[in-house]
């Protein structure tokens, strides 16, 4: 009771969204995409196959997989006029600011020809987003760096093509390292979906009004940008830079305990045990640093020391704080040559398939209604207007 209205706790249960896409057991540290454990998908699958699984609900046959890959890779280019949006940004604009703006602008290029009530038209929107989001992401980086945009090279495959668009220069051939391609592809898989998190809920709420899918994904990107959500991996690297060396860890931890700052990359709204993605991310980090001969990377060493200390500290144990997906991802991305400012863009790239799968699941439900989260009113009771002369 709030003293004025009777509060029906049962209402909260009905206001959550049902979904068949992703299952999380926060206590057991389990994450399943369409019933498949993330550990098995990270080991045996690849990101485009995971995209098919999230969108259609089943792993593709060999024929379906080949057709899906062919269709996605056929549409990696963006409308040439879309590239002109970048010229409106300052060169030092945050890549996420450009990502939000340009992805939203896709509405102006593809929306008029799509009626989202038609399943085939929804499929087109889903494919266009999966195809073009890496191209837009790479363009954000290239514009920031003052470099010319690279056209997609579709024969490279989805993730290798993204690295090509990011790092190739007209001056010399660029051949992505297969170990690094595999690592980034796995990072995309780890970030592909995560149930009804803040940004996915944003996409669902925007989509429930009938807004076009490109605008809904732009809304999801905007939400993901926050440091408590997708911006955490960028915040982890800044935290590691501030700590500087293992000698400074005890003082830093004191600051965490008296709440002057948080241990970024730790804790989670759902996982109150380990985040299964963090374990795979740490292995991937290890693989990449070994491949690049960076095993003694000081940031990786510092991160491992921080993790070791936190996992044995009662403050963190009592609060069930464990590394989440963002704790090691920043170190891997840095080793791949991706700047800190692009970390959340990478997260948004990978999460687009999760967002659009949730959007499609919701839109496909004939009983769908516009979302309207209820509030618990705790403001003033009814009262009459007072003339300004009587207000004292
Ligand atoms: C993502 O929802 C998703 O699925 C998100 C995501 C996805 O894939 O979409 O998994 C991606 O967003 C991962 C989270 C990335 N964010 C960070 O790493 C930022 C640092 N983490 C925190 O801001 C925090 O852990 C949250 C926001 C993630 C969760 O916050 P909650 O729900 O408030 O955590 P809690 O209720 O479990 O907190 C319990 C206690 C509190 O202290 P007390 O009031 O009990 O004394 O733990 C403290 C919190 O203050 N706490 C932390 C902490 N996280 C929680 N203390 C220090 N460092 C932290 N990181």
């Amino acid at each position: 009771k709030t003293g004025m209205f009777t509060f029906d706790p049962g209402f909260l249960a009905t206001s959550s969204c049902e979904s068949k896409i992703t299952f999380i057991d926060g206590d057991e540290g389990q994450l399943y995409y369409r019933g498949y454990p993330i550990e098995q998908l990270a080991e045996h699958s690849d990101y485009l196959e995971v995209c098919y699984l999230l969108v259609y609900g089943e792993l593709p046959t060999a024929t379906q997989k080949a057709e899906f890959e062919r269709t996605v890779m056929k549409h990696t280019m963006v409308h040439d006029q879309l590239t002109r949006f970048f010229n409106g940004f300052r060169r030092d604009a945050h890549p996420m600011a450009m990502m939000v703006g340009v992805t939203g602008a896709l509405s102006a290029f593809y929306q008029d020809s799509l009626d989202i009530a038609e399943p085939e038209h929804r499929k087109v929107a889903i494919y266009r987003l999966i195809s073009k989001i890496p191209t837009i992401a790479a363009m954000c980086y290239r514009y920031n760096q003052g470099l010319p945009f690279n056209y997609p090279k579709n024969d490279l495959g989805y993730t290798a093509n993204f690295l090509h668009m990011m790092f190739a220069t007209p001056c010399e051939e660029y051949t992505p390292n297969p170990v690094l391609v595999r690592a980034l592809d796995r990072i995309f898989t780890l970030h592909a979906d995560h149930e009804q998190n803040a940004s996915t809920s944003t996409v669902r709420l925007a989509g429930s009004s009938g807004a076009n899918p490109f605008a809904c994904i732009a809304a999801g990107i905007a939400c993901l940008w926050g440091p408590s959500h997708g911006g955490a991996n960028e915040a982890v690297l800044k935290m590691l830079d501030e700590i500087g060396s293992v000698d400074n860890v005890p003082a830093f931890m004191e600051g965490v305990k008296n709440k002057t700052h948080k241990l970024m990359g730790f804790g989670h709204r759902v996982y109150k045990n380990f985040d299964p993605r963090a374990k795979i991310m740490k292995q991937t980090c290890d693989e990449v640093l070994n491949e690049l001969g960076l095993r003694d990377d000081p940031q990786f060493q510092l991160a491992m020391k921080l993790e070791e200390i936190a996992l044995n500290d009662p403050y963190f144990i009592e609060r069930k704080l464990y590394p989440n997906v963002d704790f090691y991802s920043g170190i891997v991305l840095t080793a791949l040559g991706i700047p800190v400012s692009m970390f959340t863009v990478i997260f948004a790239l990978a999460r687009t398939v999760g967002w659009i799968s949730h959007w499609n699941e919701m839109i496909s439900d004939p009983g769908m209604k516009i979302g309207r989260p209820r509030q618990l009113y705790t403001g003033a009771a009814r009262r009459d207007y007072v003339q300004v002369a009587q207000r004292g």
Side-chain angles (χ1 to χ4, degrees):
K1 282 186 181 296
T2 62
M4 282 169 52
F5 307 106
T6 305
F7 173 56
D8 163 17
F11 178 83
L12 282 182
T14 59
S15 65
S16 66
C17 306
E18 287 183 19
S19 174
K20 296 180 174 58
I21 298 173
T22 292
F23 171 78
I24 297 173
D25 181 328
D27 294 327
E28 297 301 319
Q30 292 170 343
L31 168 58
Y32 300 158
Y33 292 165
R34 299 286 192 178
Y36 293 97
I38 190 68
E39 295 83 354
Q40 294 182 24
L41 293 171
E43 184 177 352
H44 302 299
S45 186
D46 60 64
Y47 179 68
L48 270 198
E49 183 175 81
V50 166
C51 287
Y52 186 99
L53 173 65
L54 288 170
V55 171
Y56 290 107
E58 298 295 337
L59 287 170
T61 63
T63 309
Q64 289 166 332
K65 180 172 176 159
E67 177 57 19
F68 183 74
E69 287 174 354
R70 192 190 61 75
T71 308
V72 166
M73 294 313 293
K74 199 170 77 171
H75 295 286
T76 52
M77 284 183 70
V78 293
H79 194 293
D80 203 45
Q81 280 184 253
L82 192 86
T83 64
R84 298 180 198 163
F85 278 88
F86 287 91
N87 294 331
F89 293 108
R90 289 177 18 173
R91 283 285 178 184
D92 62 353
H94 195 291
M96 283 297 279
M98 295 189 265
M99 191 80 168
V100 170
V102 177
T103 304
L106 285 172
S107 313
F109 291 83
Y110 300 105
Q111 188 44 32
D112 292 346
S113 57
L114 295 176
D115 170 3
I116 56 174
E118 290 296 326
E120 277 310 303
H121 286 200
R122 291 201 296 271
K123 189 172 151 186
V124 168
I126 292 166
Y127 281 47
R128 291 295 183 278
L129 279 158
I130 296 172
S131 302
K132 300 179 188 304
I133 211 79
T135 309
I136 293 170
M139 291 167 86
C140 294
Y141 169 72
R142 301 291 289 190
Y143 186 78
N144 242 189
Q145 300 293 314
L147 294 169
F149 296 143
N150 283 315
Y151 283 108
K153 278 190 79 176
N154 296 338
D155 58 331
L156 287 176
Y158 193 84
T159 302
N161 171 49
F162 172 66
L163 286 172
H164 159 77
M165 292 189 290
M166 283 280 291
F167 298 124
T169 68
C171 325
E172 54 199 28
E173 262 311 296
Y174 175 82
T175 310
N177 175 326
V179 172
L180 305 188
V181 171
R182 179 74 190 121
L184 184 58
D185 193 86
R186 193 181 305 139
I187 290 172
F188 287 167
T189 291
L190 293 177
H191 287 87
D193 192 52
H194 211 241
E195 203 223 63
Q196 309 275 340
N197 57 81
S199 52
T200 302
S201 304
T202 301
V203 171
R204 277 182 169 261
L205 200 52
S208 72
S209 74
N212 77 76
F214 307 99
C216 295
I217 297 302
I221 295 172
C223 177
L224 186 74
W225 195 358
S228 287
H229 190 11
N233 51 16
E234 184 173 344
V236 168
L237 264 286
K238 285 178 182 152
M239 174 186 74
L240 293 174
D241 284 344
E242 279 162 20
I243 296 171
S245 83
V246 175
D247 302 340
N248 300 331
V249 168
F252 178 82
M253 286 304 203
E254 280 315 303
V256 170
K257 292 172 188 174
N258 58 43
K259 299 197 186 277
T260 50
H261 45 252
K262 288 197 166 183
L263 180 54
M264 299 310 279
F266 260 66
H268 199 275
R269 289 311 306 267
V270 176
Y271 291 121
K272 297 308 171 192
N273 196 324
F274 61 92
D275 178 338
R277 303 168 297 175
K279 285 190 168 186
I280 303 166
M281 190 65 78
K282 186 176 179 180
Q283 291 159 7
T284 303
C285 197
D286 217 19
E287 276 172 36
V288 168
L289 295 176
N290 274 329
E291 172 70 15
L292 297 173
L294 298 173
R295 192 72 188 78
D296 298 329
D297 174 81
Q299 275 185 332
F300 183 59
Q301 297 301 323
L302 179 56
M304 287 200 294
K305 189 67 183 165
L306 262 179
E307 179 187 21
E308 180 197 325
I309 291 169
L311 293 182
N312 293 292
D313 186 316
Y315 179 89
F316 291 87
I317 296 168
E318 285 156 19
R319 290 167 175 77
K320 299 185 175 182
L321 300 177
Y322 297 87
N324 59 48
V325 68
D326 292 301
F327 190 64
Y328 283 101
S329 62
I331 297 167
V332 194
L333 295 175
T334 301
L336 293 175
I338 294 167
V340 173
S341 63
M342 281 288 292
F343 287 179
T344 314
V345 169
I346 300 289
F347 195 152
L349 185 167
R351 184 55 59 87
T352 292
V353 67
W355 289 330
I356 202 63
S357 298
H358 279 270
W359 170 83
N360 189 45
E361 179 180 61
M362 178 185 68
I363 293 286
S364 306
D365 172 3
M368 183 200 84
K369 292 185 184 304
I370 187 168
R372 182 63 174 82
R374 292 294 301 279
Q375 74 166 12
L376 195 58
Y377 180 70
T378 57
R382 185 195 177 289
R383 51 186 168 168
D384 294 325
Y385 183 79
V386 177
Q387 294 300 332
V388 65
Q390 278 77 49
R391 288 178 204 159

